[in-house]
């Protein structure tokens, strides 16, 4: 059996109790996720998180910590993902910047607003990462060794 886990990053960006999310088309439906994506060649995990957040939301961010590292197998296709989830602070928004293909919007939602619509989560990691962030503590960025 050939098994190749995918390395991904995600970013939790909170501002006054609201979280930056992406609304994207996946499998013909609109789903909610953190700004997230795959690690690219010759890129560090930190660079990937900052890049994906900017490309998917138009927000420049500063990483502040590591929320956790997650292993998730998608029931829809059996693909296993290793997600490194970062916490970040929003710095600057570029509203005129075009968002990545498939991204419809970058809404800010409270945990409660997100929790009542589980049918729209891209995966259960969406709420789990926010809950882990809220429960704390986040880990220092030095835990990531480039």
């Amino acid at each position: 059996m050939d098994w190749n886990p995918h390395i991904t990053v995600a970013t939790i960006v909170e501002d006054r109790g609201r979280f930056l999310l992406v609304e994207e088309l996946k499998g013909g439906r609109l789903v909610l996720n953190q700004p997230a994506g795959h690690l690219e060649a010759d890129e560090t995990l930190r660079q990937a998180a900052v890049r994906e957040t900017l490309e998917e939301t138009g927000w420049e961010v500063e990483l502040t910590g590591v929320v956790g590292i997650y292993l998730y197998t998608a029931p829809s296709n059996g693909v296993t993902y290793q997600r490194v989830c970062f916490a970040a602070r929003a710095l600057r928004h570029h509203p005129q910047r075009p968002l990545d293909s498939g991204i419809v919007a970058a809404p800010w939602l409270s945990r409660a607003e997100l929790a009542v619509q589980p049918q729209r989560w891209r995966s259960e990691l969406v709420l789990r990462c926010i809950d882990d962030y809220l429960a704390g503590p986040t880990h220092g960025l030095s835990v990531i060794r480039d």
Side-chain angles (χ1 to χ4, degrees):
M1 181 172 114
D2 195 24
W3 185 70
N4 298 302
H6 296 248
I7 299 172
T8 62
V9 294
T11 309
I12 302 288
V13 184
E14 181 193 13
D15 185 36
R16 296 179 298 240
R18 299 181 80 74
F19 296 91
L20 180 61
L21 298 165
V22 296
E23 187 176 40
E24 60 186 328
L25 275 171
K26 195 69 180 170
R29 64 185 190 106
L30 283 175
V31 297
L32 294 167
N33 197 11
Q34 276 86 30
H38 292 266
L39 180 68
E40 294 182 357
D42 300 318
E43 182 176 53
T44 68
L45 291 165
R46 292 182 218 191
Q47 289 168 338
V50 170
R51 174 187 53 78
E52 287 288 355
T53 304
L54 179 61
E55 290 175 354
E56 293 190 351
T57 69
W59 278 93
E60 290 181 39
V61 297
E62 175 185 26
L63 300 180
T64 59
V66 177
V67 175
I69 300 171
Y70 304 82
L71 199 59
Y72 174 75
T73 301
S76 62
N77 60 12
V79 173
T80 299
Y81 299 89
Q82 180 183 8
R83 174 190 260 210
V84 180
C85 186
F86 291 92
R89 180 172 62 91
L91 297 177
R92 186 175 304 111
H93 188 223
H94 301 276
Q96 303 309 316
R97 182 184 171 89
L99 304 181
D100 264 359
S101 176
I103 304 295
V104 175
W108 291 84
L109 299 176
S110 69
R111 186 209 178 275
E113 291 169 324
L114 182 63
V116 297
Q117 41 188 334
Q119 71 285 357
R120 295 201 56 218
W121 304 341
R122 178 144 180 198
S123 79
E124 63 263 15
L125 288 180
V126 176
L127 192 63
R128 183 174 173 199
C129 287
I130 288 174
D131 285 345
D132 288 349
Y133 165 82
L134 290 170
T138 58
H139 307 281
L141 291 171
S142 64
V143 74
I144 302 293
R145 310 282 181 172
D146 296 328

